[in-house]
Amino acid sequence: METALPKNDLRLDITNKQILSISLPISLSLLVPFLNFTANNYFISGLGEEFLGTAGITGVYFLVVAVVGNGLNNALQSLIARRAGENRINEIGKLFSQGVRIAAVMAAVGIALTYFLTPLIFHQALQSQKVDANAIEFLKIRVWGLPFLYLFQMGNAFLVGTNNSKFLMIGTFLEDGANIFFDYSLINGHFGLPKLGFNGAAYASVLAEFIGMTTVYGLIIFLKLHKRFQLFNHLRYNKQLSNLILNISAPLIGQFSISLITWLLFYILIERNGKLIFPNEPERALAISNVMRNIFSLTGIFIWAFASTTNAMVSNIIGQGRKDDVLNLIRRIVKLSLTATACMFILFNVFAAELLSFFQLSPAFVDAAIPPLRIVTVGMVFMSFSVVWLNAVTGTGNTKVNLLIEAVTITLYIIYVYLVLEVWHLSLVWAWASEVLYWIAIFTMAYFYIMSGKWRGKVI
C-alpha cells in the first residue's frame, strides 16, 4: 500500500485517484483548443462548405506552428515534474523562466514564417485560388495569437508539473467563453461589432488566447505560486538550463511537427482529389475531413489528458527513484484511457447522424460523412492506448526515441496516404483508415522501447 506523502511534497503516488486528479483538470484545459475549433467550425459552417473546407487547412496549419509551444510544454512539464519528484523545488522557477524566454523567441519565428514562407507554399500546393487566398488572409491574422498561446502553454506546463492542474479549468472556461462570444459577434456582426465573415474567426481566436494567457498568469500570481517557486527571479539568460530545455524539447518539436505537417499534406491531397471523390461537390471531401478532425479532437480531450498525465507522472516517479513502478503506472493509465474512449466509441456510432447534423449542413453531407466517421472511431480506440505508451517514452526524458518513432511511423503513413489518394483514388474511408495504421505503428515501437528497459539509465 502506498504511504501518504507530506502535504507540501510534490512527489506523486501511483493510484487511480492520483491519476484522475491530474488528468481530469487537464481534460478541461484541453477543451480550449477543441471548443475554440468547434465554435469556429460551427459559425463558419453557416458560411458554406467552401469556407468549412478552408478552415480545415488553416486549422491544421496553425497546429503546425503551434506545435512548437506544445513541444516546449511537454519538455518543460517533464523537467518540472522530474525536479518535483526529486524534491528540488528551487530549480523549478529557473526552468520556467528559461522556458518563457524560449517560447517568446519561437513565437516571433512562427509569425515571420507565416508571413513570408507560407504564401509561397500554399500558392504551389493548392489548386483552388480562392481557397489559397482565403487561407493566407486568415492565417496572417490568426498567427498573432501565437505568443499568447505559447505563454499560455508554459503556464499550463508549470501547473501540471507542480501538481496544480486543478487550476487549469479556470483559464479554460474564460478563454473558451471569450472565443464563442467573439466568434458569434465578429463572424456575423453582432453587438455593434463589425461583420468580418471568415476572418472574424481568426480575430476571435487571437482575443481568446490573450484572455487565456492573462488568466493563467493572473492565477499564478493570485495563488502566490510565483513567490513560492521564484518564477520571475531568474529571467536572465541561463545557457545551461536553456540548452537542457532545448535538448529535451527539440526532438518533441520535431516529432509533433512532422506529424502535423504530414496531416497538412493529407488535407492538401484531399483538396487536390476532391473532384474524384465527389465529382458534383468537390469541396465536400475537404469539409468532411475537417469535421472528422473535429470529432478526433473531441475524443483527444480525454486521451491527451491521460497522455499528459503519463508524461508528468512517469517523470515524477522516476525522479523518486521508483523505476520499477513505471510499468504499473502505465497500465493503470491505459485502462482508464481505453475505458473512456470505448464509451465515446459507442456514443459516436449510435448517434452518428445526430452528431454530424450539428454542423448545419445538408442531409447529403451527413450521409456522406457517416462512413468516414465509423473508421475514425476505430482509430480513436487505437489512439487511446498508443498515445499513453508514447508519452511514457517522453516522461523517461529520452525524447530522441519519440522523434525516431514518429519518423518511422510518418514514413509508413505518407506512403499509405499517397497510394490511396494519388495512385488508387480510393474513398475517404480508406484515406482516414490511415489513422489506424498510424497508431498501431506508434504503439508497437513505444511498447517495445519501454519494455526493453533501455530508458532506465537516462538522466535529465
Side-chain angles (χ1 to χ4, degrees):
M1 180 180 291
E2 300 291 340
T3 57
L5 293 168
K7 211 170 183 183
N8 62 347
D9 202 312
L10 295 177
R11 289 173 291 180
L12 302 176
D13 294 325
I14 301 177
T15 63
N16 287 350
K17 181 179 178 181
Q18 181 80 82
I19 293 167
L20 292 173
S21 71
I22 297 173
S23 61
L24 291 179
I26 295 174
S27 295
L28 289 174
S29 75
L30 290 174
L31 279 170
V32 170
F34 168 73
L35 291 177
N36 285 352
F37 179 65
T38 302
N40 287 348
N41 280 348
Y42 176 79
F43 292 112
I44 288 171
S45 65
L47 303 175
E49 290 186 25
E50 177 188 321
F51 285 106
L52 184 60
T54 304
I57 288 179
T58 57
V60 175
Y61 172 84
F62 190 75
L63 283 176
V64 171
V65 294
V67 82
V68 173
N70 198 23
L72 288 171
N73 175 301
N74 278 265
L76 191 63
Q77 178 180 304
S78 182
L79 286 166
I80 288 175
R82 183 66 58 91
R83 298 298 175 263
E86 296 166 349
N87 226 17
R88 295 167 59 190
I89 308 301
N90 59 319
E91 293 295 315
I92 290 176
K94 297 177 182 178
L95 287 167
F96 177 80
S97 297
Q98 298 307 306
V100 167
R101 287 175 59 92
I102 294 169
V105 173
M106 293 294 192
V109 172
I111 292 171
L113 289 175
T114 301
Y115 266 77
F116 301 111
L117 182 61
T118 302
L120 299 177
I121 296 173
F122 276 25
H123 290 336
Q124 294 296 320
L126 298 176
Q127 295 217 336
S128 170
Q129 292 183 354
K130 196 168 184 181
V131 170
D132 177 24
N134 288 337
I136 291 171
E137 185 180 3
F138 181 94
L139 288 171
K140 285 185 175 180
I141 301 166
R142 181 70 183 89
V143 76
W144 288 103
L146 212 53
F148 310 135
L149 177 63
Y150 284 2
L151 293 175
F152 177 73
Q153 290 172 323
M154 295 302 98
N156 285 348
F158 166 75
L159 291 175
V160 174
T162 56
N163 198 22
N164 284 292
S165 58
K166 60 187 176 183
F167 297 112
L168 296 178
M169 64 188 75
I170 299 174
T172 294
F173 288 135
L174 287 176
E175 178 171 348
D176 184 61
N179 189 76
I180 292 173
F181 172 79
F182 286 118
D183 262 335
Y184 177 74
S185 304
L186 293 173
I187 291 175
N188 299 308
H190 295 295
F191 306 114
L193 295 175
K195 183 177 181 179
L196 301 176
F198 185 51
N199 289 339
Y203 285 108
S205 294
V206 172
L207 290 168
E209 284 162 352
F210 173 77
I211 290 171
M213 178 202 70
T214 304
T215 302
V216 166
Y217 286 90
L219 277 170
I220 289 172
I221 293 170
F222 177 76
L223 297 169
K224 299 183 179 179
L225 295 174
H226 67 298
K227 291 184 178 180
R228 180 185 176 190
F229 295 98
Q230 300 181 8
L231 295 187
F232 306 120
N233 294 357
H234 308 283
L235 293 174
R236 180 174 295 181
Y237 174 69
N238 183 312
K239 183 178 180 180
Q240 182 180 359
L241 289 181
S242 292
N243 286 343
L244 175 62
I245 294 170
L246 289 171
N247 286 337
I248 299 295
S249 64
L252 292 175
I253 293 169
Q255 171 203 340
F256 297 146
S257 295
I258 60 176
S259 175
L260 287 170
I261 288 171
T262 303
W263 209 356
L264 181 61
L265 174 64
F266 175 82
Y267 273 77
I268 289 172
L269 290 176
I270 292 291
E271 192 267 347
R272 287 168 59 88
N273 289 277
K275 290 183 179 179
L276 295 173
I277 299 172
F278 295 108
N280 297 325
E281 300 283 349
E283 69 279 358
R284 179 160 293 168
L286 195 58
I288 288 175
S289 293
N290 192 18
V291 171
M292 292 305 105
R293 186 168 74 87
N294 210 119
I295 291 169
F296 230 118
S297 297
L298 174 58
T299 315
I301 290 172
F302 304 97
I303 296 174
W304 283 108
F306 285 118
S308 185
T309 300
T310 305
N311 177 6
M313 290 194 70
V314 165
S315 190
N316 190 291
I317 293 299
I318 292 174
Q320 295 179 42
R322 299 165 59 191
K323 295 180 181 179
D324 291 338
D325 292 330
V326 167
L327 286 178
N328 177 34
L329 171 63
I330 295 170
R331 288 173 179 141
R332 280 178 178 266
I333 298 175
V334 164
K335 288 180 182 178
L336 292 170
S337 180
L338 188 56
T339 300
T341 306
C343 294
M344 287 182 285
F345 174 88
I346 294 169
L347 287 172
F348 286 178
N349 279 280
V350 171
F351 300 104
E354 290 79 4
L355 178 66
L356 293 166
S357 296
F358 170 81
F359 291 96
Q360 313 178 79
L361 297 167
S362 67
F365 178 93
V366 173
D367 290 341
I370 287 178
L373 173 62
R374 306 290 190 204
I375 194 65
V376 163
T377 57
V378 174
M380 293 183 329
V381 173
F382 282 96
M383 177 185 175
S384 68
F385 56 86
S386 301
V387 77
V388 171
W389 283 93
L390 183 64
N391 274 262
V393 177
T394 307
T396 68
N398 202 349
T399 52
K400 290 181 181 178
V401 175
N402 289 77
L403 180 58
L404 177 61
I405 291 172
E406 192 69 45
V408 173
T409 303
I410 286 300
T411 301
L412 296 173
Y413 180 94
I414 290 174
I415 292 171
Y416 175 86
V417 170
Y418 180 81
L419 289 174
V420 166
L421 291 173
E422 288 286 294
V423 179
W424 298 328
H425 304 298
L426 299 180
S427 68
L428 276 182
V429 172
W430 285 102
W432 276 96
S434 57
E435 290 299 318
V436 177
L437 171 67
Y438 178 89
W439 290 113
I440 289 175
I442 289 286
F443 167 72
T444 302
M445 288 180 281
Y447 174 83
F448 280 110
Y449 174 74
I450 293 294
M451 296 303 292
S452 73
K454 292 180 180 179
W455 48 272
R456 289 176 175 268
K458 181 69 178 179
V459 178
I460 59 173

